[in-house]
Amino acid sequence: MAEGAQLPWKMQKVDASRGPAGNYSSLSSPLPKPPKGMKWEQDTETHEWQLIEEVTLAPDNSLKGAEINNNNKGPLEHIVLPTDTLAGICIRYKVTPTQLRQANRFSGSNLSLAPSKLIIPVNGVVVVQKQDESSPEFKIHALISILPQLNRTEAQAYLKMADWDLKCAIQDAKDDLAWEASQKASPPVLIAHEAIPVLLQGHGDFPTPSSSELELTPLLTPVELQEMQFV
């Protein structure tokens, strides 16, 4: 017989004064069906399940579908926004991730590695939810996708100056970039002015100009200064 079986301090006893022993046989069983109008929700900190009232939201009609015929209009374009995900875009346009990657030549699910303007390979006539092209966030990223030289702050500034008119902002930005390119292409023009030798008083024979000549000196051109005779 083992030594511990005879020693009282090594024998385990159930303390019935604290209640019955725990029964964990039902841990793997699913939760019972909640009452009508209620649902189960798990606490993220304690991981405990509790019944809460189920709230039914009204359908959002702000995003309306648009029937698009791929045979007439070709592939669609989608401006990538910070809130977009690869799965969300695939669900919106009813395409597979593989088709989206092949059409835009990128890999993985990170949209920061994808083009800022995605080509959506839509086949046939489908009903999709268009992007909200009136939102400021869409216009900022649309301008950056057309002119990648601009950063977010510059794109937002062009849109504000154009009163959030995307076409006017694109034209203004293109004009400014074209002017900057023309300035860089043309060689710099150097203007050299002949200096008038000035000798300190008492060092040399150069005559000292009169006060009237000193008053007229700022008003004269470099050529006139060269031809001026001192008395």
Side-chain angles (χ1 to χ4, degrees), residues 174-188:
K174 284 183 177 180
D175 293 342
D176 290 346
L177 292 174
W179 180 85
E180 290 180 2
S182 64
Q183 294 299 315
K184 292 179 181 179
S186 59

Side-chain angles (χ1 to χ4, degrees), residues 205-220:
D205 300 331
F206 196 79
T208 303
S210 63
S211 59
S212 60
E213 291 172 341
L214 291 176
E215 292 176 356
L216 293 175
T217 298
L219 304 178
L220 298 176

Side-chain angles (χ1 to χ4, degrees), residues 39-58:
K39 68 176 183 178
W40 289 105
E41 185 178 44
Q42 188 180 24
D43 194 306
T44 56
E45 296 181 357
T46 63
H47 302 286
E48 294 182 356
W49 290 90
Q50 56 183 352
L51 283 170
I52 63 170
E53 185 178 358
E54 187 175 9
V55 179
T56 304
L57 299 177

Side-chain angles (χ1 to χ4, degrees), residues 24-178:
Y24 302 100
S25 60
S26 61
L27 283 179
S28 58
S29 302
L31 293 171
K33 187 177 180 180
K36 187 177 181 181
M38 305 288 287
K39 68 176 183 178
W40 289 105
E41 185 178 44
Q42 188 180 24
D43 194 306
T44 56
E45 296 181 357
T46 63
H47 302 286
E48 294 182 356
W49 290 90
Q50 56 183 352
L51 283 170
I52 63 170
E53 185 178 358
E54 187 175 9
V55 179
T56 304
L57 299 177
D60 187 6
N61 296 325
S62 59
L63 296 175
K64 298 182 179 180
E67 187 173 312
I68 299 171
N69 191 340
N70 185 45
N71 297 328
N72 297 332
K73 299 184 179 180
L76 302 177
E77 292 182 350
H78 178 90
I79 302 298
V80 178
L81 302 179
T83 55
D84 286 337
T85 61
L86 181 64
I89 294 176
C90 293
I91 294 173
R92 176 192 288 263
Y93 296 104
K94 300 178 178 63
V95 295
T96 63
T98 304
Q99 292 174 337
L100 192 62
R101 293 190 189 100
Q102 290 177 349
N104 296 275
R105 298 183 179 181
F106 75 98
S107 60
S109 58
N110 190 356
L111 290 180
S112 61
L113 304 177
S116 57
K117 182 185 290 186
L118 294 176
I119 298 175
I120 310 298
V122 178
N123 297 320
V125 179
V126 295
V127 178
V128 299
Q129 291 180 349
K130 285 186 176 180
Q131 285 186 287
D132 185 8
E133 299 181 358
S134 62
S135 65
E137 196 69 22
F138 174 85
K139 293 181 179 181
I140 291 173
H141 286 83
L143 181 55
I144 295 175
S145 67
I146 296 173
L147 300 173
Q149 307 95 317
L150 303 178
N151 55 35
R152 180 184 175 87
T153 304
E154 293 172 340
Q156 188 173 4
Y158 276 111
L159 286 167
K160 285 184 177 179
M161 288 188 294
D163 198 16
W164 294 96
D165 189 334
L166 183 57
K167 292 183 179 180
C168 293
I170 292 173
Q171 188 60 42
D172 293 342
K174 284 183 177 180
D175 293 342
D176 290 346
L177 292 174

